[in-house]
Amino acid sequence: MSTTLPGALVSTEWLTEHLSDPDLKILDCTWHHESTNLDGRTQYRGRHLPGAVHFDIDHVADKSTGLPHMLPSAADFAKKVGLLGIGDGDRVVVYDRNCGGSAAARVWWMFHVFGYDNVAMLDGGYGKWVAEKRATEMSPVRPEPKTFAAVFAPELVRGIAQMRANLLSGAEQVLDARGPAKFNGSQEDVFPARKLGHIPNAVNLPWGDLIVPETGVLVPPEAISARFAAAGVDLSKPIVVTCASGTISCVLVLALALIGCKNVAVYDGSWAEWGLAEDTPAVAA
């Protein structure tokens, strides 16, 4: 039996075949902003993939910052992941109810940030799984705690000071994964902000442009490459991705990984931080 996953994405067919593998761990990462009146944990309790446990990005987070679901310390991540029954050497598959856009891609990224690459996202997520009438269950899963090691990889994360410095240096291309209305400032973001719009010189590539609407799967690699090229992104140069709170940006990071573009960074605070700060510049249409 293989001990590594086939790539950053796994299909519903692949996961069905491997559901009973003892080293395979499934995380239901469904998360919703409070304005939606939906709750990921409640949805998990209602139905989830067989054997899945719930990963809450608001729980596995640094709550001292006042910002939404900021990265925790390596020690905290290791402890909480271990309590979810994931140990070193396990293969981890993440999914959510929004094609990776609500939190699964962020959890995929978090594992990478903490030095663990044996993780993949379920292509199409819960929606595709259910549409294909594959097995789900209601029974709660109580995992046996395991030991998980985490080592922080700072090159995959950017903070506000680094983003300010990049305004002057232009060393990194900044991609904004939000929708065009939030990017151009014609629509308010979902988190409190003093200003609308985007970071100066950022390029808009909405995460939804990488999703096939009918199935929720990511577009094929050649289409991913075409979308980044159309946005004017040079894949040979450093990239940092931002969004509202560091969730949907991770869909772009995963998509870039699929076409061989590694070590893409995420601005963890994103607009929830930049838009709230008093002295950060913003561009609106």
Side-chain angles (χ1 to χ4, degrees), residues 5 12 19 24 69 92 118 126 177 254-255 284:
L5 291 156
T12 51
L19 274 177
L24 188 78
H69 40 253
V92 181
N118 206 4
Y126 184 82
L254 193 153

Side-chain angles (χ1 to χ4, degrees), residues 206-224:
W207 77 279
D209 288 358
L210 300 174
I211 304 294
V212 178
E214 296 78 13
T215 58
V217 300
L218 263 73
V219 298
E222 59 272 17
I224 293 173

Side-chain angles (χ1 to χ4, degrees), residues 73-230:
S73 67
D76 192 41
F77 184 82
K79 177 184 176 183
K80 288 174 178 171
V81 165
L83 289 173
L84 293 177
I86 297 170
D88 297 326
D90 284 338
R91 292 177 294 169
V92 181
V93 173
V94 298
Y95 75 89
D96 63 32
R97 284 163 172 76
N98 197 27
C99 312
S102 59
R106 179 173 174 88
V107 176
W108 172 89
W109 172 74
M110 289 173 74
F111 273 93
H112 283 272
V113 167
F114 292 111
Y116 201 77
D117 298 342
N118 206 4
V119 55
M121 190 174 79
L122 177 63
D123 204 11
Y126 184 82
K128 185 172 188 286
W129 184 271
V130 172
E132 294 168 351
K133 296 181 168 52
R134 299 181 188 272
T136 59
E137 62 184 25
M138 298 175 66
S139 54
V141 178
R142 295 182 173 84
E144 192 73 29
K146 297 176 77 171
T147 301
F148 185 88
V151 180
F152 181 59
E155 67 272 13
L156 299 181
V157 188
R158 295 291 179 271
I160 193 168
Q162 293 165 303
M163 299 302 290
R164 288 182 202 271
N166 191 63
L167 289 176
L168 298 175
S169 71
E172 295 186 316
Q173 302 166 98
V174 179
L175 304 186
D176 193 319
R178 295 175 299 162
K182 291 185 174 68
F183 180 81
N184 68 27
S186 62
Q187 184 181 74
E188 289 193 6
D189 220 311
V190 293
F191 296 99
R194 299 174 189 270
K195 61 195 73 122
L196 302 176
H198 58 268
I199 297 172
N201 301 318
V203 173
N204 192 206
L205 204 168
W207 77 279
D209 288 358
L210 300 174
I211 304 294
V212 178
E214 296 78 13
T215 58
V217 300
L218 263 73
V219 298
E222 59 272 17
I224 293 173
S225 297
R227 280 159 173 74
F228 281 97

